[in-house]
């Protein structure tokens, strides 16, 4: 079967750095994506890794190691508005279908 | 760019009625559209994948006769929940993809409550 594992909840302090890990076991792999979802809202795209290495976009970075079936999302200079759920998702096939992790709720304390 | 709209944003209906939800890509042509449902504090559950002009591909366990999907054009897909029941109450979200990379653009979601 297909599975993605990520922590259910992470707590951090405003201004700090936090890393959210994701390991996956899927029959296909085109790339690893990360999405952010605030309570009551729809997911918004954060990043995508198809190749090994680190991708940086402002305060957010995402890493992929295909040999380890592992990736992470790194959030720096945390702000209160970053409190949300973060989902990793694996692109499975040429139809761009995504398999989703269960999500990590990020709680930020002042 | 890459804006997806969804209408209505919320709907309350009586048990036994049907509800149609529209999903539109406003500024791009979507190769593929996806329909998800999400229960509180849970992940997104993919219901079906649809390509313009062809039948939707439903995920296992999703009743195609209950959740009718029509993908009439490259910018519009509709989901009709037929003969809705209280257990169909959920947050329904559509997304659209315009090709690689694996970036899906999500609509704002529709909160359906069946009484």
């Amino acid at each position: 079967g297909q599975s993605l594992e990520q922590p259910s909840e992470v707590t951090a302090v405003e201004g700090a750095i936090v890393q959210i890990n994701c390991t996956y076991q899927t029959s296909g792999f085109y790339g690893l994506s990360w999405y952010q979802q605030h309570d009551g809202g729809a997911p918004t795209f954060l990043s995508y890794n198809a190749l090994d290495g680190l991708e940086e976009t402002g305060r957010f970075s995402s890493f992929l190691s295909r040999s380890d079936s592992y990736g992470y999302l790194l959030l720096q200079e945390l702000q209160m508005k970053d409190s949300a759920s973060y989902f990793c998702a694996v692109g499975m096939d040429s139809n761009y279908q995504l398999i989703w992790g269960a999500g990590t709720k990020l709680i930020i304390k002042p | 760019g890459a804006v997806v709209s969804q209408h209505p944003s919320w709907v309350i209906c009586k048990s036994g009625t049907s509800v149609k939800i529209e999903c539109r890509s406003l500024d791009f042509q979507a190769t593929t559209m996806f329909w998800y449902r999400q229960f509180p504090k849970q992940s997104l559950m993919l219901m079906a994948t649809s390509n313009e002009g062809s039948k939707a591909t439903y995920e296992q366990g999703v009743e195609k006769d209950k959740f009718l999907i029509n993908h009439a054009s490259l910018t519009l897909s509709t989901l009709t929940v037929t003969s809705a029941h209280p257990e169909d109450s959920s947050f329904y979200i559509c997304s659209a993809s315009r090709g690689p990379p694996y970036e899906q653009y999500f609509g704002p979601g529709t909160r359906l409550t069946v009484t």
Side-chain angles (χ1 to χ4, degrees):
Chain A
Q2 327 284 5
S3 69
L4 281 81
E5 298 287 333
Q6 56 181 126
S8 59
E9 190 175 290
V10 172
T11 301
V13 177
E14 192 175 14
I17 299 172
V18 72
Q19 178 174 311
I20 300 174
N21 298 320
C22 175
T23 57
Y24 58 88
Q25 276 191 314
T26 56
S27 57
F29 182 84
Y30 277 59
L32 182 69
S33 300
W34 288 92
Y35 288 79
Q36 178 192 61
Q37 185 180 30
H38 287 98
D39 283 347
T44 55
F45 173 81
L46 291 178
S47 69
Y48 170 73
N49 295 68
L51 302 175
D52 292 349
L54 189 69
E55 294 281 342
E56 298 180 69
T57 309
R59 294 188 297 114
F60 294 179
S61 303
S62 58
F63 172 82
L64 174 66
S65 169
R66 288 174 296 170
S67 60
D68 296 322
S69 298
Y70 163 77
Y72 65 71
L73 178 70
L74 189 74
L75 298 84
Q76 304 182 71
E77 300 172 18
L78 286 172
Q79 301 174 9
M80 297 303 292
K81 67 178 182 179
D82 297 329
S83 295
S85 290
Y86 292 84
F87 293 88
C88 59
V90 166
M92 286 289 294
D93 55 26
S94 59
N95 213 22
Y96 319 122
Q97 184 181 102
L98 293 174
I99 300 297
W100 294 78
T104 298
K105 185 174 177 63
L106 175 61
I107 299 170
I108 299 174
K109 297 184 175 180
Chain B
V3 179
V4 176
S5 72
Q6 200 171 326
H7 178 80
S9 55
W10 61 270
V11 57
I12 302 173
C13 69
K14 291 188 176 180
S15 189
T17 61
S18 294
V19 174
K20 179 186 280 190
I21 303 170
E22 286 191 354
C23 178
R24 292 181 185 271
S25 56
L26 298 184
D27 52 1
F28 68 100
Q29 292 187 324
T31 334
T32 307
M33 286 186 168
F34 304 87
W35 287 96
Y36 296 87
R37 67 186 295 183
Q38 187 178 33
F39 293 104
K41 301 187 188 306
Q42 293 189 24
S43 187
L44 288 84
M45 185 190 82
L46 179 66
M47 298 175 68
T49 303
S50 77
N51 295 293
E52 181 261 344
S54 61
K55 289 184 179 180
T57 302
Y58 289 81
E59 293 301 300
Q60 194 172 7
V62 178
E63 299 175 57
K64 60 180 68 175
D65 293 331
K66 179 164 186 64
F67 298 100
L68 300 178
I69 292 173
N70 182 25
H71 196 152
S73 73
L74 283 171
T75 60
L76 173 64
S77 177
T78 61
L79 168 69
T80 302
V81 183
T82 62
S83 186
H85 291 286
E87 58 265 29
D88 298 324
S89 298
S90 189
F91 190 47
Y92 292 87
I93 315 173
C94 73
S95 72
S97 173
R98 57 184 177 185
Y102 280 84
E103 184 169 347
Q104 290 187 16
Y105 303 96
F106 284 82
T110 297
R111 192 160 301 281
L112 170 64
T113 301
V114 184
T115 61

